[in-house]
Amino acid sequence: MALVITQAPKLDLDGTRWVDIEPGVRIKVGSSANPKFKSHHALILRHQSAIDVRYGVGTDGFDPANAEIASLDSSDDMMVDLVCKHIILDWEGVEEAETPGVIAPYTKERGKLLIAIRPDIYFTALQVATDIAIRSEERIKESVGKLSPSTDGAATGRAKRTRKSAGSENA
């Protein structure tokens, strides 16, 4: 008997993927198709749209010097919060500066600190989350419409008539 080991593509079967950020540090990323992520993202977009309308963004009446605008949460901050809550799910190899050598468990707040230090992680997480969602959708499309294999190994189709036994009442 011979064995062959091949590098199979990552299938993201559970909707997550570990991504190496640098040697010894990686993050666990979830899918952007997560319903909670999509719902929260839509809420942020509606909120930003309402603010744009309220302050006349894109019109002649817009005044960027308006003091109220500066007090509003930026959409960037809301998006970072969203990614740290629903997309980045865990990490490995991250320590707090106050306790070197002790791995810090992932929290949304710590994720936001990491992104403040390394903004590229935000974009990496979004790219991987989108890739997971696309691959999942492709797998669904591939499997829809495929016939299930026959359980007895024979081709599917009309059943063959069986012979009646000699002792049958209806013979």
Side-chain angles (χ1 to χ4, degrees):
M1 171 192 263
L3 297 175
V4 176
I5 299 174
T6 60
Q7 178 65 35
K10 296 178 183 175
L11 293 178
D12 308 322
L13 292 176
D14 60 352
T16 63
R17 184 184 308 161
W18 283 97
V19 178
D20 294 326
I21 299 302
E22 59 184 58
V25 179
R26 62 187 197 153
I27 59 173
K28 185 177 185 180
V29 178
S31 173
S32 63
N34 174 339
K36 289 180 181 180
F37 171 81
K38 289 168 60 173
S39 175
H40 194 168
H41 185 247
L43 181 66
I44 290 171
L45 294 177
R46 285 192 302 272
H47 173 75
Q48 191 61 47
S49 178
I51 289 172
D52 289 350
V53 168
R54 179 177 175 188
Y55 292 104
V57 174
T59 68
D60 292 336
F62 177 64
D63 180 13
N66 187 335
E68 286 182 34
I69 294 174
S71 67
L72 298 171
D73 287 337
S74 77
S75 61
D76 293 340
D77 292 338
M78 289 186 280
M79 289 300 294
V80 168
D81 188 64
L82 175 65
V83 166
C84 291
K85 184 174 184 178
H86 297 294
I87 298 297
I88 300 175
L89 306 174
D90 199 1
W91 63 25
E92 291 178 352
V94 179
E95 305 171 356
E96 287 190 19
E98 296 82 23
T99 56
V102 178
I103 301 298
Y106 179 78
T107 64
K108 177 179 77 170
E109 291 75 23
R110 287 182 176 140
K112 289 165 62 173
L113 290 173
L114 181 65
I115 288 175
I117 297 167
R118 295 269 314 267
D120 61 301
I121 293 173
Y122 168 82
F123 297 107
T124 299
L126 277 178
Q127 180 183 12
V128 172
T130 302
D131 183 55
I132 293 170
I134 290 169
R135 288 176 61 125
S136 176
E137 184 65 28
E138 287 171 353
R139 281 194 312 273
I140 290 169
K141 286 180 182 176
E142 287 174 3
S143 65
V144 170
K146 287 186 178 178
L147 295 176
S148 297
S150 174
T151 56
D152 64 357
T156 58
R158 188 173 183 174
K160 296 179 183 176
R161 296 191 75 178
T162 58
R163 293 184 192 173
K164 294 183 182 177
S165 64
S168 174
E169 294 177 14
N170 297 332

